[in-house]
Amino acid sequence: MERDFRWQTLEDTEAFGRSLGALLRGGDLLVLTGDLGAGKTTLTQSIAEGLGVRGPITSPTFVIARVHPSLVGGPALVHVDAYRLGSAIELDDLDLDADLDASVVVVEWGAGLAEQLSDTRLELTISGDDERTVHAVAVGARFERVLADLAPSVA
Ligand SMILES: Nc1ncnc2c1ncn2[C@@H]1O[C@H](COP(=O)(O)OP(=O)(O)OP(=O)(O)O)[C@@H](O)[C@H]1O
Ligand SMILES: [Mg+2]
């Protein structure tokens, strides 16, 4: 299942991210793609708000991954930036202080590197600069449901 969402303003992006974040659960994988400055970190910040995890969410320039624990008894957020990675991501090798099966994993620059982390995932590709579009591809039934649940409120 694929779906496009159009964001005319930053507020639209934030509303999308919060709605999406509220639907996520442990074990979910999101793969974010888009040029430099497309808005991947900004979207992750709003997803984090929807999830209710501890911030701040920043661009992890010198670290590959950060763990943001839940403030509401829900899943933690593992925020990964794969920009500098040359090969497939192996989260086990990062020795993160998190139960990955119980965490939501969001990977910036993850296309081609993160897919093997999970058979089911949501792939989000952001494009445009003034008005942005996100192309969402649900891989697996789990994310088809998530996309269907999102559509009415934020499309
Ligand atoms: N939907 C949006 N509408 C307007 N401005 C936005 C939107 N999303 C992001 N921005 C702005 O664009 C800039 C870059 O955003 P951001 O850092 O999220 O991009 P990124 O894709 O994570 O970049 P990088 O490739 O460096 O990781 C920020 O100043 C941010 O405020
Ligand atoms: Mg970023």
Side-chain angles (χ1 to χ4, degrees), residues 53-140:
V53 299
R54 192 173 73 202
I57 307 291
T58 56
S59 282
T61 307
F62 298 109
V63 286
I64 295 168
R66 283 208 181 89
V67 180
H68 299 274
S70 178
L71 299 171
V72 295
L77 171 67
V78 176
H79 179 206
V80 183
D81 193 322
Y83 186 65
R84 286 183 176 71
L85 289 183
S87 56
I89 298 161
E90 298 294 346
L91 288 177
D92 290 345
D93 294 348
L94 297 178
D95 210 13
L96 297 172
D97 186 18
D99 175 0
L100 291 170
D101 292 335
S103 302
V104 170
V105 177
V106 174
V107 186
E108 293 190 41
W109 296 103
L113 299 171
E115 289 84 356
Q116 92 289 349
L117 292 172
S118 176
D119 291 341
T120 66
R121 59 189 176 268
L122 187 61
E123 300 175 350
L124 298 171
T125 304
I126 306 171
S127 57
D129 43 354
D130 206 14
E131 184 179 291
R132 286 167 165 84
T133 303
V134 67
H135 181 64
V137 178
V139 179

Side-chain angles (χ1 to χ4, degrees), residues 7-62:
W7 302 327
Q8 282 174 332
T9 64
L10 181 57
E11 288 70 35
D12 293 341
T13 304
E14 290 168 348
F16 176 91
R18 281 194 301 266
S19 309
L20 176 57
L23 294 172
L24 298 177
R25 62 186 194 208
D28 283 347
L29 171 66
L30 269 55
V31 180
L32 307 190
T33 303
D35 292 341
L36 276 171
K40 301 177 292 295
T41 301
T42 304
L43 176 60
T44 307
Q45 284 163 350
S46 303
I47 291 169
E49 257 183 66
L51 269 171
V53 299
R54 192 173 73 202
I57 307 291
T58 56
S59 282
T61 307
F62 298 109

